[in-house]
Amino acid sequence: MERLAGQRILLGITGGIAAYKCAEFVRLLRAEGAEVRVVMTAGACEFIAPLTLQALSGERVRTDLLDTDAEAAMGHIELARWADHVVVAPATADTLARLAQGRADDLLATVCLATAAPIAVAPAMNRVMWDHPATRANIATLEDRGTAILGPEQGDQACGETGAGRMREPAMLVEDLVGLLTGSGPLAGVRVVITAGPTREPLDPVRYLSNYSSGRMGFAIAAAAARAGADVTLVAGPVDRPSPPGVERVDIESAREMLAAVEARISGSELFIATAAVADYRPVEHAADKIKKTDEGERALRLTRNPDILATIAARADAPLTVGFAAETGDVVAYARSKREAKGVDLICANTVGHGRGFGDVASTLTVVSAGGERTLGPARKDALARELIALLTDELDARCRPAERLKQ
Ligand code: CTP
């Protein structure tokens, strides 16, 4: 079966040693029925001949923005419109920086800026370059804009080092694209509800209680689940973060609004992932008018418990697989185990926070505690951890009752 039949894929090849793998990548894409057009940067042409890609794609390869002949045949704007999906592979550190900046000084960067099609990048570079804060920031920018980051993989590198930075193998990239373009990934047909971000508990019309949660982990998990083909609803507290592509987002403010939004959507879901930093308490009173200061030196604030969203969902008769998060400053696994039992949830993902750990996008580990024991994911950054977690949850769902329609796939 040609799983990419009729899909128009624009492949951007940039100047890394992994460019040689693109010959195989184009061949596999064509074998899946995709129409492929190739744009190469000057650096890419040093690693693999455009003629090779032309022979394999069956289309003229474009290398220059200012090529009058090529522009007469299909201008760069038409090329940008033609694509159903843009894939940049290998994406060098320089390419990621240029895409993050929105440059338009060569054909590939210009097409990426001019297209409305989703963009995926398959990074490939030396592991130190991949770990550099500049590359981290560029990846975060691209992810926030909805770019799918495919890889890189761990392993031996052409530079003689070993670590994260190898381009994903062409066959894996084809599977990624099949998932992205046809919604037929391993979680196809699975409904997932995810909570993310902080909640705000109003005190009066101009004040609230809240916390510093950025929502990054929940948004990364939502993006990874959507890329795996799931039907994702993201119930998000106030965060300044764009919605991941293909995800239904419901914005709420307070814990009670978050619970109502989740309860309205949970029926029929197979997976509930609670990453939100829900305020445990809210002010007893929500003053209708702004609270005025008085001459007293102290003032007490009365608080009352908020509903526990995770425990409420886990207690339902039709509860999906429930996954909670526990951020602790010490004794992480022991606390996670007791939290798992106290809330009656299937899995708790525990991480260590405090002393500079757990906040921001630095590499960390996630210990997933279930009835059967523990598994540690990472160390990796949040987007990679999210991918690993979704892979683990896919196995977990498969091991439980797979609905008939999933078995048929
Ligand atoms: N959670 C929830 N609703 C709440 C509180 C927490 O759904 N009202 C979820 C969070 O999304 C997270 C997990 O429960 O998945 C965290 O559990 P919790 O015991 O609230 O963690 P902490 O507040 O970090 O723990 P503690 O108060 O024990 O320090």
Side-chain angles (χ1 to χ4, degrees):
M1 194 179 80
E2 293 184 338
R3 295 176 300 164
L4 294 173
Q7 299 280 359
R8 298 193 293 202
I9 295 177
L10 186 104
L11 171 62
I13 308 178
T14 75
I17 178 64
Y20 81 91
K21 295 185 181 178
C22 287
E24 176 69 353
F25 187 30
V26 171
R27 194 188 65 75
L28 292 174
L29 289 172
R30 294 288 308 276
E32 290 287 357
E35 278 181 59
V36 183
R37 286 176 189 260
V38 177
V39 170
M40 294 174 73
T41 63
C45 298
E46 299 290 327
F47 287 95
I48 184 165
L51 193 58
T52 306
L53 282 313
Q54 183 163 308
L56 289 165
S57 67
E59 297 287 343
R60 180 168 175 194
V61 170
R62 297 280 309 262
T63 53
D64 288 319
L65 181 58
L66 306 174
D67 175 338
T68 41
D69 285 349
E71 284 288 306
M74 185 184 260
H76 60 278
I77 299 293
E78 282 167 272
L79 199 56
R81 287 196 192 123
W82 171 87
D84 290 325
H85 210 102
V86 177
V87 187
V88 182
T92 60
D94 179 62
T95 304
L96 297 175
R98 288 153 41 69
L99 295 182
Q101 276 188 5
R103 302 285 288 262
D105 53 0
D106 71 6
L107 180 62
L108 180 59
T110 306
V111 167
C112 286
L113 207 54
T115 192
I119 301 177
V121 295
M125 67 200 71
N126 163 272
R127 65 173 180 85
V128 181
M129 293 168 79
W130 172 247
D131 274 339
H132 195 283
T135 306
R136 304 315 321 151
N138 293 330
I139 286 286
T141 302
L142 293 172
E143 279 217 306
D144 282 352
R145 272 186 218 144
T147 304
I149 315 292
L150 312 177
E153 296 299 313
Q154 298 272 342
D156 293 338
Q157 302 201 291
C159 53
E161 297 194 31
T162 303
R166 279 170 67 95
M167 189 176 92
R168 268 166 89 68
E169 290 303 321
M172 293 160 91
L173 291 175
V174 170
E175 292 307 315
D176 292 338
L177 287 177
V178 168
L180 282 171
L181 272 79
T182 65
S184 64
L187 287 183
V190 174
R191 283 177 54 191
V192 181
V193 178
I194 300 172
T195 65
T199 62
R200 276 184 190 170
E201 308 301 326
L203 202 50
D204 71 14
V206 296
R207 302 184 181 96
Y208 55 81
L209 298 181
S210 191
N211 58 66
Y212 289 115
S213 168
S214 69
R216 179 176 279 281
M217 190 71 210
F219 276 60
I221 293 172
R227 278 203 293 273
D231 184 353
V232 182
T233 301
L234 178 61
V235 181
V239 286
D240 183 16
R241 204 167 269 291
S243 306
V247 165
E248 184 211 9
R249 172 163 172 184
V250 182
D251 288 311
I252 53 79
E253 294 228 331
S254 70
R256 286 187 295 175
E257 286 168 9
M258 183 173 270
L259 176 62
V262 170
E263 285 188 315
R265 291 161 181 86
I266 201 71
S267 170
S269 300
E270 284 179 62
L271 182 56
F272 176 58
I273 308 175
T275 73
V278 184
D280 289 320
Y281 295 89
R282 66 177 182 277
V284 170
E285 282 160 53
H286 175 185
D289 296 315
K290 188 178 165 206
I291 301 169
K292 305 300 278 181
K293 62 179 157 306
T294 63
D295 290 337
E296 289 157 46
E298 285 186 8
R299 181 156 193 165
L301 183 61
R302 285 210 313 135
L303 301 174
T304 184
R305 279 296 291 268
N306 263 330
D308 190 310
I309 300 164
L310 179 57
T312 307
I313 299 304
R316 284 170 68 107
D318 64 347
L321 181 72
T322 46
V323 184
F325 272 71
E328 308 285 356
T329 50
D331 273 343
V332 187
V333 173
Y335 278 124
R337 279 210 197 98
S338 53
K339 196 162 287 184
R340 193 185 148 270
E341 274 164 34
K343 297 204 184 203
V345 300
D346 298 299
L347 299 156
I348 288 276
C349 304
N351 60 5
T352 308
V353 294
H355 317 295
R357 282 180 299 195
F359 290 104
D361 191 22
V362 293
S364 60
T365 55
L366 208 55
T367 306
V368 185
V369 179
S370 66
E374 298 129 41
R375 244 186 76 185
T376 299
L377 308 181
R381 296 195 161 78
K382 283 180 177 161
D383 50 334
L385 274 183
R387 271 200 303 273
E388 285 189 45
L389 179 63
I390 287 299
L392 182 150
L393 295 175
T394 304
D395 291 345
E396 199 66 36
L397 282 170
D398 282 346
R400 285 161 190 249
C401 49
R402 288 187 83 183
E405 66 271 21
R406 294 189 63 214
L407 278 174
K408 274 190 242 133
Q409 282 169 7

